[in-house]
Each structure stands twice: as structure tokens, then as C-alpha cells.
Coordinates of all heavy atoms in Angstrom, one line a residue:
M1 N 39.3 51.8 39.9 CA 39.3 53.0 40.9 C 38.1 53.0 41.6 O 37.0 52.9 41.1 CB 39.5 54.2 40.1 CG 39.5 55.5 41.2 SD 39.6 57.0 40.3 CE 41.3 57.0 39.9
K2 N 38.2 53.0 43.0 CA 36.9 53.2 43.8 C 36.6 54.7 43.7 O 37.4 55.6 43.8 CB 37.2 52.8 45.1 CG 37.6 51.4 45.4 CD 37.9 51.2 46.8 CE 38.3 49.7 47.1 NZ 38.8 49.5 48.5
R3 N 35.2 54.7 43.7 CA 34.6 56.2 43.7 C 33.7 56.2 44.9 O 32.8 55.3 45.1 CB 33.9 56.4 42.5 CG 34.6 56.4 41.2 CD 33.7 56.8 40.0 NE 34.5 56.6 38.8 CZ 35.3 57.6 38.2 NH1 35.4 58.8 38.9 NH2 35.9 57.4 37.1
I4 N 34.0 57.1 45.8 CA 33.2 57.3 47.0 C 32.8 58.8 47.2 O 33.4 59.7 47.0 CB 34.2 57.0 48.3 CG1 34.8 55.7 48.1 CG2 33.4 57.0 49.6 CD1 35.9 55.3 49.1
G5 N 31.5 58.9 47.4 CA 30.8 60.3 47.6 C 30.3 60.4 49.0 O 29.7 59.4 49.5
F6 N 30.5 61.5 49.6 CA 30.0 61.8 50.9 C 29.1 63.1 50.7 O 29.5 64.1 50.0 CB 31.1 62.2 51.8 CG 31.9 61.0 52.2 CD1 33.0 60.6 51.4 CD2 31.6 60.2 53.3 CE1 33.8 59.6 51.7 CE2 32.4 59.1 53.7 CZ 33.4 58.8 52.8
L7 N 27.8 63.0 51.2 CA 26.9 64.1 51.2 C 26.9 64.6 52.6 O 26.3 63.9 53.6 CB 25.6 63.8 50.8 CG 24.6 64.9 50.6 CD1 25.2 66.0 49.8 CD2 23.3 64.4 50.0
I8 N 27.4 65.8 52.9 CA 27.7 66.2 54.4 C 26.7 67.4 54.7 O 26.6 68.3 53.9 CB 29.1 66.7 54.6 CG1 30.0 65.4 54.2 CG2 29.5 67.1 55.9 CD1 31.5 65.9 53.8
K9 N 26.1 67.2 56.0 CA 25.2 68.4 56.3 C 25.9 69.0 57.5 O 25.7 68.6 58.6 CB 23.9 67.7 56.7 CG 23.2 67.1 55.4 CD 22.0 66.2 55.9 CE 20.8 67.0 56.1 NZ 20.1 67.5 54.9
P10 N 26.8 70.0 57.4 CA 27.6 70.5 58.4 C 27.0 71.5 59.3 O 27.5 71.9 60.4 CB 28.7 71.2 57.6 CG 28.2 71.6 56.4 CD 27.1 70.7 55.9
A11 N 25.7 72.0 58.9 CA 25.2 73.1 59.8 C 23.8 72.7 60.3 O 23.1 73.6 60.8 CB 25.1 74.3 58.9
S12 N 23.5 71.5 60.3 CA 22.3 71.0 60.9 C 21.0 71.9 60.4 O 21.0 72.2 59.2 CB 22.4 70.9 62.4 OG 21.3 70.3 63.0
S13 N 20.3 72.3 61.4 CA 19.1 73.2 60.9 C 19.2 74.7 61.4 O 18.4 75.3 61.8 CB 17.8 72.6 61.6 OG 17.9 72.7 63.0
L14 N 20.5 75.2 61.2 CA 20.8 76.5 61.7 C 20.2 77.7 60.8 O 20.0 78.7 61.2 CB 22.4 76.7 61.7 CG 23.1 76.0 62.9 CD1 24.5 76.3 62.7 CD2 22.7 76.8 64.2
C15 N 19.9 77.2 59.5 CA 19.4 78.4 58.6 C 18.0 78.8 59.2 O 17.2 78.1 59.4 CB 19.2 77.7 57.2 SG 18.6 78.9 56.1
N16 N 18.1 80.1 59.2 CA 16.8 80.7 59.6 C 16.1 81.6 58.5 O 15.3 82.5 58.7 CB 17.0 81.6 60.8 CG 17.9 82.8 60.6 OD1 18.4 83.0 59.6 ND2 18.1 83.5 61.7
T17 N 16.6 81.3 57.2 CA 16.0 82.1 56.1 C 14.5 81.9 55.8 O 13.7 82.7 55.5 CB 16.8 81.8 54.8 OG1 18.2 82.1 55.1 CG2 16.4 82.7 53.7
R18 N 14.1 80.6 56.0 CA 12.7 80.2 56.0 C 12.2 80.5 54.6 O 11.0 81.1 54.3 CB 11.8 80.9 57.0 CG 12.2 80.5 58.4 CD 12.1 79.1 58.7 NE 12.3 78.9 60.1 CZ 13.5 78.3 60.6 NH1 14.5 78.1 59.8 NH2 13.6 78.1 61.9
C19 N 12.8 80.1 53.5 CA 12.3 80.0 52.2 C 10.9 79.2 52.1 O 10.9 78.2 52.9 CB 13.3 79.3 51.3 SG 14.9 80.0 51.0
R20 N 10.0 79.7 51.3 CA 8.7 79.2 51.4 C 8.7 77.7 51.0 O 7.9 76.9 51.4 CB 7.7 79.9 50.4 CG 7.2 81.2 51.0 CD 6.3 81.9 50.2 NE 6.9 82.2 48.8 CZ 6.1 82.5 47.8 NH1 4.9 82.4 47.8 NH2 6.8 82.8 46.7
Y21 N 9.6 77.3 50.1 CA 9.6 75.9 49.6 C 10.6 75.0 50.4 O 10.6 73.8 50.1 CB 10.2 75.9 48.1 CG 11.5 76.6 48.1 CD1 12.7 76.0 48.4 CD2 11.6 78.0 47.6 CE1 14.0 76.6 48.3 CE2 12.8 78.6 47.5 CZ 14.1 77.9 47.8 OH 15.2 78.6 47.7
C22 N 11.1 75.5 51.5 CA 12.0 74.6 52.3 C 11.2 73.7 53.2 O 10.3 74.2 54.0 CB 12.9 75.5 53.2 SG 14.2 74.6 54.1
L23 N 11.6 72.5 53.3 CA 10.9 71.6 54.3 C 11.8 71.3 55.5 O 11.4 70.8 56.5 CB 10.7 70.2 53.6 CG 12.0 69.5 53.1 CD1 12.6 68.7 54.1 CD2 11.5 68.6 51.9
Y24 N 13.0 71.9 55.6 CA 13.9 71.5 56.6 C 13.5 72.0 58.0 O 13.6 71.3 59.0 CB 15.3 71.9 56.3 CG 16.4 71.2 57.0 CD1 16.7 69.8 56.6 CD2 17.2 71.6 58.0 CE1 17.5 69.1 57.3 CE2 18.0 71.0 58.6 CZ 18.3 69.7 58.3 OH 19.2 69.0 59.0
A25 N 12.9 73.3 58.1 CA 12.6 73.8 59.4 C 11.5 72.9 60.1 O 11.5 72.6 61.2 CB 12.1 75.2 59.2
D26 N 10.4 72.6 59.2 CA 9.4 71.7 59.7 C 9.9 70.4 60.2 O 9.6 69.8 61.2 CB 8.3 71.5 58.6 CG 7.1 70.7 59.2 OD1 6.6 71.2 60.2 OD2 6.8 69.7 58.6
V27 N 10.8 69.8 59.4 CA 11.4 68.5 59.7 C 12.1 68.6 61.1 O 12.1 67.8 61.9 CB 12.4 67.9 58.7 CG1 13.2 66.8 59.1 CG2 11.5 67.6 57.4
A28 N 13.0 69.6 61.2 CA 13.8 69.8 62.3 C 13.0 70.0 63.6 O 13.3 69.6 64.8 CB 14.7 71.0 62.2
E29 N 11.8 70.7 63.5 CA 10.9 71.1 64.7 C 10.4 69.8 65.2 O 10.0 69.7 66.4 CB 9.9 72.1 64.2 CG 10.5 73.4 64.2 CD 9.4 74.4 63.5 OE1 8.1 74.0 63.5 OE2 9.7 75.5 63.2
H30 N 10.3 68.7 64.3 CA 9.6 67.5 64.8 C 10.6 66.5 65.2 O 10.2 65.3 65.5 CB 8.7 67.0 63.7 CG 7.4 67.8 63.5 ND1 7.4 68.9 62.7 CD2 6.3 67.8 64.0 CE1 6.3 69.5 62.6 NE2 5.6 68.7 63.6
R31 N 12.0 66.7 65.3 CA 12.9 65.8 65.7 C 13.1 65.9 67.1 O 12.8 66.9 67.8 CB 14.2 66.2 65.0 CG 14.3 66.0 63.5 CD 15.7 65.9 62.9 NE 16.4 67.1 63.2 CZ 17.4 67.6 62.4 NH1 17.7 67.1 61.3 NH2 18.0 68.7 62.9
E32 N 13.7 64.9 67.8 CA 13.9 64.9 69.1 C 14.9 66.0 69.5 O 14.9 66.7 70.5 CB 14.4 63.5 69.6 CG 14.4 63.4 71.1 CD 14.7 61.9 71.4 OE1 13.9 61.0 70.9 OE2 15.6 61.6 72.2
V33 N 15.9 66.1 68.7 CA 16.9 67.3 68.8 C 16.8 68.1 67.5 O 17.1 67.6 66.4 CB 18.3 66.7 69.0 CG1 19.3 67.9 69.0 CG2 18.5 65.8 70.2
A34 N 16.3 69.2 67.6 CA 16.0 70.2 66.4 C 17.2 70.5 65.8 O 17.3 70.7 64.5 CB 15.2 71.3 66.8
N35 N 18.3 70.8 66.5 CA 19.4 71.4 65.8 C 20.7 70.9 66.6 O 20.9 71.1 67.7 CB 19.4 73.0 66.0 CG 20.6 73.6 65.3 OD1 21.5 73.1 65.0 ND2 20.4 74.9 65.1
F36 N 21.6 70.2 65.7 CA 22.8 69.6 66.3 C 23.9 70.7 66.2 O 25.2 70.3 66.6 CB 23.1 68.3 65.6 CG 22.3 67.3 65.9 CD1 21.1 67.1 65.1 CD2 22.3 66.5 66.9 CE1 20.1 66.1 65.4 CE2 21.4 65.4 67.3 CZ 20.5 65.2 66.5
G37 N 23.8 71.9 65.7 CA 24.9 72.8 65.5 C 25.8 72.6 64.5 O 25.5 71.7 63.6
I38 N 26.9 73.2 64.4 CA 27.8 73.1 63.4 C 28.8 71.8 63.7 O 29.1 71.5 64.8 CB 28.7 74.3 63.3 CG1 27.9 75.4 62.8 CG2 29.9 74.2 62.4 CD1 28.6 76.9 63.0
M39 N 29.0 71.1 62.6 CA 29.8 69.9 62.7 C 31.2 70.3 63.4 O 31.8 71.2 63.0 CB 30.0 69.3 61.4 CG 31.0 68.1 61.4 SD 31.2 67.4 59.7 CE 29.6 66.6 59.4
T40 N 31.5 69.5 64.4 CA 32.8 69.8 64.9 C 34.0 69.4 64.1 O 33.9 68.5 63.3 CB 33.0 69.1 66.5 OG1 32.9 67.7 66.1 CG2 31.8 69.4 67.3
D41 N 35.1 69.9 64.4 CA 36.3 69.5 63.8 C 36.7 68.0 64.0 O 37.0 67.3 63.1 CB 37.6 70.3 64.0 CG 37.5 71.7 63.5 OD1 36.6 72.0 62.6 OD2 38.3 72.5 63.9
D42 N 36.4 67.5 65.2 CA 36.6 66.1 65.4 C 35.8 65.2 64.5 O 36.3 64.3 64.0 CB 36.3 65.8 66.9 CG 37.4 66.3 67.8 OD1 38.5 66.6 67.3 OD2 37.1 66.4 69.1
V43 N 34.5 65.6 64.3 CA 33.7 64.8 63.4 C 34.1 64.8 62.0 O 34.1 63.9 61.3 CB 32.2 65.2 63.7 CG1 31.4 64.5 62.6 CG2 31.7 64.8 65.0
A44 N 34.4 66.0 61.5 CA 34.8 66.3 60.2 C 36.1 65.4 60.0 O 36.3 64.8 59.0 CB 35.1 67.7 59.9
H45 N 37.0 65.4 61.0 CA 38.4 64.8 60.8 C 38.1 63.3 60.7 O 38.8 62.6 59.9 CB 39.3 65.1 61.9 CG 39.7 66.5 61.9 ND1 40.4 67.2 62.9 CD2 39.5 67.6 60.9 CE1 40.7 68.4 62.5 NE2 40.2 68.7 61.4
A46 N 37.1 62.8 61.6 CA 36.9 61.3 61.6 C 36.3 60.9 60.2 O 36.5 59.9 59.6 CB 35.9 61.0 62.7
L47 N 35.3 61.8 59.6 CA 34.8 61.5 58.3 C 35.9 61.4 57.2 O 35.9 60.6 56.4 CB 33.9 62.6 58.0 CG 33.0 62.4 56.7 CD1 31.7 63.2 56.9 CD2 33.7 63.0 55.5
I48 N 36.8 62.5 57.2 CA 37.8 62.5 56.3 C 38.8 61.3 56.3 O 39.2 60.8 55.3 CB 38.6 63.8 56.3 CG1 37.7 65.1 56.1 CG2 39.9 63.9 55.5 CD1 38.2 66.4 56.4
D49 N 39.1 61.1 57.6 CA 40.1 59.9 57.8 C 39.5 58.6 57.3 O 40.1 57.8 56.6 CB 40.3 59.6 59.4 CG 41.2 60.7 59.9 OD1 41.9 61.4 59.2 OD2 41.1 60.9 61.2
R50 N 38.2 58.4 57.5 CA 37.5 57.2 57.1 C 37.5 57.3 55.5 O 37.6 56.3 54.8 CB 36.0 57.1 57.6 CG 35.4 55.8 57.3 CD 34.2 55.5 58.1 NE 34.5 55.2 59.4 CZ 33.6 54.7 60.3 NH1 32.4 54.5 59.9 NH2 33.9 54.3 61.6
A51 N 37.2 58.4 54.9 CA 37.1 58.6 53.5 C 38.5 58.2 52.9 O 38.4 57.6 51.7 CB 36.8 60.0 53.2
L52 N 39.5 58.7 53.4 CA 40.9 58.4 52.9 C 41.4 57.0 53.1 O 42.3 56.6 52.5 CB 41.8 59.3 53.5 CG 41.6 60.9 53.1 CD1 42.4 61.9 53.8 CD2 41.6 61.0 51.6
A53 N 40.7 56.2 53.9 CA 41.2 55.0 54.3 C 41.4 54.0 53.1 O 42.4 53.1 53.2 CB 40.3 54.3 55.4
P54 N 40.5 54.0 52.1 CA 40.6 52.9 51.1 C 42.0 53.2 50.3 O 42.4 52.3 49.5 CB 39.5 53.3 50.2 CG 38.5 53.9 51.0 CD 39.3 54.7 52.0
G55 N 42.7 54.3 50.4 CA 44.1 54.5 49.7 C 44.0 55.5 48.6 O 43.1 56.1 48.3
D56 N 45.2 55.5 47.9 CA 45.4 56.5 47.0 C 44.7 56.4 45.8 O 44.4 57.4 45.0 CB 47.0 56.4 46.6 CG 47.8 56.8 47.7 OD1 47.3 57.4 48.8 OD2 49.0 56.7 47.7
D57 N 44.2 55.3 45.4 CA 43.5 55.0 44.2 C 42.0 55.3 44.3 O 41.3 55.3 43.3 CB 43.6 53.6 43.6 CG 43.0 52.5 44.5 OD1 42.8 52.9 45.7 OD2 42.6 51.5 44.0
A58 N 41.5 55.7 45.4 CA 40.1 56.2 45.4 C 39.9 57.6 45.0 O 40.6 58.4 45.3 CB 39.6 56.0 46.9
D59 N 38.7 57.8 44.3 CA 38.3 58.9 43.8 C 37.1 59.5 44.8 O 36.1 58.9 44.7 CB 37.7 58.9 42.4 CG 37.2 60.3 41.8 OD1 37.6 61.3 42.4 OD2 36.6 60.3 40.8
I60 N 37.5 60.4 45.6 CA 36.5 60.8 46.7 C 35.9 62.3 46.4 O 36.6 63.2 46.0 CB 37.3 60.9 48.0 CG1 38.0 59.6 48.3 CG2 36.5 61.4 49.2 CD1 39.0 59.6 49.4
T61 N 34.6 62.3 46.5 CA 33.9 63.5 46.4 C 33.2 63.9 47.7 O 32.6 63.0 48.4 CB 32.8 63.4 45.4 OG1 33.4 63.0 44.1 CG2 32.1 64.6 45.1
Y62 N 33.4 65.1 48.1 CA 32.8 65.6 49.3 C 31.8 66.7 48.8 O 32.2 67.7 48.1 CB 33.8 66.3 50.2 CG 35.0 65.5 50.7 CD1 36.1 65.6 50.2 CD2 34.8 64.6 51.8 CE1 37.3 64.8 50.6 CE2 35.8 63.8 52.2 CZ 37.0 63.9 51.6 OH 38.1 63.1 52.1
A63 N 30.6 66.6 49.1 CA 29.5 67.4 48.7 C 28.8 68.0 50.0 O 28.7 67.2 51.0 CB 28.5 66.9 47.8
F64 N 28.3 69.2 50.0 CA 27.6 69.7 51.2 C 26.3 70.1 50.9 O 26.0 70.8 49.9 CB 28.5 70.9 51.7 CG 29.9 70.5 52.2 CD1 31.0 70.5 51.2 CD2 30.2 70.1 53.4 CE1 32.2 70.1 51.5 CE2 31.5 69.7 53.8 CZ 32.6 69.7 52.9
Q65 N 25.4 69.7 51.8 CA 23.9 70.1 51.7 C 23.5 70.7 53.0 O 24.1 70.7 54.0 CB 23.3 68.7 51.3 CG 21.8 68.9 51.0 CD 21.1 67.6 50.9 OE1 21.3 66.7 51.7 NE2 20.2 67.4 49.9
G66 N 22.3 71.0 53.0 CA 21.7 71.6 54.3 C 20.6 70.8 54.7 O 20.4 69.6 54.4
G67 N 19.8 71.6 55.5 CA 19.8 73.1 55.6 C 20.9 73.7 54.8 O 21.5 73.1 54.0
E68 N 21.1 75.0 55.1 CA 22.1 75.7 54.3 C 23.4 75.5 54.8 O 23.8 75.8 55.9 CB 21.7 77.2 54.3 CG 22.7 78.0 53.6 CD 22.9 77.6 52.2 OE1 22.0 77.4 51.4 OE2 24.2 77.5 52.0
P69 N 24.3 74.7 53.9 CA 25.6 74.4 54.5 C 26.5 75.6 54.8 O 27.3 75.4 55.6 CB 26.2 73.5 53.4 CG 25.5 73.8 52.1 CD 24.1 74.2 52.6
T70 N 26.4 76.7 54.1 CA 27.2 77.8 54.4 C 27.0 78.4 55.7 O 27.8 79.1 56.1 CB 27.0 78.9 53.2 OG1 25.7 79.3 53.2 CG2 27.4 78.4 51.8
C71 N 26.0 77.9 56.3 CA 25.8 78.5 57.8 C 26.9 78.0 58.7 O 27.1 78.4 59.8 CB 24.5 77.9 58.4 SG 23.0 78.7 57.7
A72 N 27.7 76.9 58.2 CA 28.8 76.5 58.9 C 30.0 77.5 58.9 O 30.8 77.4 59.8 CB 29.2 75.1 58.4
G73 N 30.0 78.4 58.0 CA 30.9 79.6 57.9 C 32.1 79.1 57.1 O 32.5 77.9 57.1
L74 N 32.8 80.2 56.6 CA 33.9 79.9 55.7 C 35.1 79.3 56.4 O 35.7 78.4 56.0 CB 34.4 81.3 55.2 CG 35.6 81.3 54.4 CD1 35.4 80.5 53.1 CD2 36.2 82.7 54.0
A75 N 35.3 79.5 57.8 CA 36.4 79.0 58.6 C 36.2 77.4 58.5 O 37.2 76.8 58.5 CB 36.4 79.6 59.8
F76 N 35.0 76.9 58.6 CA 34.8 75.5 58.6 C 35.3 74.8 57.4 O 36.0 73.8 57.4 CB 33.3 75.2 58.9 CG 32.9 73.7 58.7 CD1 33.0 72.8 59.7 CD2 32.6 73.3 57.3 CE1 32.7 71.4 59.5 CE2 32.3 71.9 57.1 CZ 32.3 71.0 58.3
F77 N 34.9 75.4 56.3 CA 35.2 74.8 54.9 C 36.8 75.1 54.7 O 37.5 74.1 54.2 CB 34.4 75.4 53.8 CG 33.0 75.1 53.9 CD1 32.1 76.0 54.5 CD2 32.6 73.9 53.5 CE1 30.9 75.7 54.6 CE2 31.3 73.6 53.6 CZ 30.3 74.4 54.2
E78 N 37.4 76.1 55.2 CA 38.8 76.3 55.1 C 39.6 75.2 55.9 O 40.5 74.5 55.5 CB 39.2 77.6 55.5 CG 38.8 78.7 54.6 CD 39.1 80.2 55.1 OE1 39.3 80.4 56.4 OE2 39.2 81.1 54.3
R79 N 39.0 74.9 57.1 CA 39.7 73.8 58.1 C 39.5 72.5 57.4 O 40.3 71.6 57.4 CB 39.1 73.9 59.5 CG 39.4 75.2 60.2 CD 39.1 75.0 61.7 NE 37.8 74.6 62.0 CZ 36.8 75.5 62.1 NH1 37.1 76.8 62.0 NH2 35.6 75.1 62.3
F80 N 38.2 72.3 56.8 CA 38.0 71.0 56.2 C 38.8 70.7 55.1 O 39.6 69.6 54.9 CB 36.5 71.0 55.6 CG 36.0 69.6 55.2 CD1 35.2 68.9 56.1 CD2 36.3 69.1 54.0 CE1 34.7 67.7 55.8 CE2 35.8 67.9 53.7 CZ 35.0 67.1 54.4
C81 N 39.0 71.7 54.2 CA 39.9 71.5 53.0 C 41.4 71.4 53.4 O 42.1 70.6 52.8 CB 39.8 72.7 52.0 SG 38.1 72.7 51.3
A82 N 41.8 72.1 54.4 CA 43.1 72.1 54.9 C 43.4 70.7 55.3 O 44.5 70.1 55.2 CB 43.5 73.1 56.0
Y83 N 42.5 70.1 56.2 CA 42.7 68.8 56.8 C 42.8 67.7 55.6 O 43.6 66.8 55.6 CB 41.6 68.4 57.7 CG 41.9 67.1 58.5 CD1 42.6 67.2 59.7 CD2 41.5 66.0 58.1 CE1 42.9 66.1 60.4 CE2 41.7 64.7 58.8 CZ 42.4 64.9 60.0 OH 42.7 63.6 60.7
V84 N 42.0 67.9 54.6 CA 42.0 66.9 53.5 C 43.4 67.1 52.7 O 44.0 66.1 52.4 CB 40.9 67.3 52.4 CG1 41.0 66.4 51.1 CG2 39.6 66.9 53.1
D85 N 43.9 68.3 52.5 CA 45.1 68.6 51.8 C 46.2 67.9 52.6 O 47.2 67.4 52.1 CB 45.3 70.0 51.6 CG 44.4 70.5 50.5 OD1 43.9 69.8 49.8 OD2 44.3 71.8 50.5
E86 N 46.2 68.1 53.9 CA 47.3 67.6 54.8 C 47.3 66.0 54.8 O 48.4 65.4 55.0 CB 47.0 67.9 56.2 CG 47.4 69.5 56.5 CD 46.8 69.9 57.9 OE1 46.7 69.0 58.7 OE2 46.7 71.1 58.1
H87 N 46.1 65.4 54.6 CA 46.1 63.9 54.8 C 46.0 63.1 53.5 O 46.2 61.9 53.5 CB 45.1 63.6 55.7 CG 45.3 64.1 57.2 ND1 45.0 65.4 57.6 CD2 46.0 63.5 58.3 CE1 45.5 65.5 58.8 NE2 46.0 64.4 59.2
A88 N 45.4 63.7 52.4 CA 45.4 63.0 51.2 C 46.8 62.8 50.6 O 47.6 63.8 50.7 CB 44.5 63.8 50.2
T89 N 47.0 61.7 50.1 CA 48.5 61.4 49.6 C 48.6 61.5 48.1 O 49.6 61.4 47.6 CB 48.9 60.0 50.1 OG1 47.9 59.0 49.7 CG2 49.1 60.0 51.6
A90 N 47.4 61.5 47.4 CA 47.4 61.4 45.9 C 47.4 62.9 45.4 O 47.0 63.8 46.1 CB 46.4 60.7 45.3
Ligands
SF4_101 S1 17.8 75.6 54.3 FE1 18.0 76.5 52.2 S2 15.9 76.3 51.4 FE2 15.9 76.0 53.6 S3 15.4 78.1 54.4 FE3 17.6 77.9 54.4 S4 18.3 78.7 52.4 FE4 16.1 78.3 52.2

């Protein structure tokens, strides 16, 4: 069985909590584009489609990281999971 893991950063640098130990704000400020916003559904769907391409026998893990991934909002994760459920065949 193929095992495939995705580490997804759906909220770019949107978090403004500024925990003292966080390095992300500093990293983002030095990028050409500091904040890419919330991942669009088109990008999420393309990722999921590619993840599901190997077929039914693949064991796929989606993990979310940040900045703080919950900045993407509950609706983002509901849509993400719904799309996976609609398109996964196993
Ligand atoms: S991304 Fe995480 S660690 Fe960084 S400020 Fe936000 S909550 Fe804190």
C-alpha cells in the first residue's frame, strides 16, 4: 500500500497572535509576498485530486500547519473534507 502525506498550510501568514516563540511573522515579513491569504477551493481541490490519483489502495494523510491553520476558518475545513468524501472511492 502506498502511503502519502500532505502537510498543508492553508492560511499563509494570517495569524496575528504573535506568540513570543513564533518565527512565522518574521519569516513572512521578509518574503516577497508576505501573505498569500487563505487557500482557494480551486487549489485545495487540485491538491486533493492529485492526492487521490494513485488509486484506492493509497493511504493518504492530510495534515495542516501554519502559521495557524485554523485561521482558514471552519468552513474551509468543512469544504475540504466534503470534497475528499465526494471524491475518495475507498
Ligand atoms: S502561527 Fe501559531 S505560533 Fe505563530 S503566532 Fe500564530 S498561534 Fe502563535
Side-chain angles (χ1 to χ4, degrees):
M1 174 186 290
K2 292 180 183 174
R3 295 182 188 275
I4 307 169
F6 292 86
L7 183 56
I8 303 161
K9 301 165 80 77
S12 190
S13 60
L14 283 175
C15 182
N16 63 0
T17 303
R18 299 297 183 262
C19 300
R20 283 186 298 164
Y21 53 82
C22 183
L23 59 82
Y24 203 71
D26 183 59
V27 169
E29 285 173 12
H30 291 89
R31 294 193 304 214
E32 198 168 302
V33 177
N35 186 340
F36 290 91
I38 296 171
M39 178 181 283
T40 66
D41 286 348
D42 284 347
V43 171
H45 294 172
L47 184 156
I48 294 163
D49 289 344
R50 189 170 283 193
L52 296 175
D56 294 348
D57 64 334
D59 180 15
I60 302 167
T61 301
Y62 304 99
F64 297 90
Q65 189 191 41
E68 176 50 51
T70 59
C71 289
L74 178 60
F76 169 86
F77 293 98
E78 289 174 336
R79 292 192 306 274
F80 190 100
C81 292
Y83 192 85
V84 171
D85 286 346
E86 287 170 19
H87 293 82
T89 55

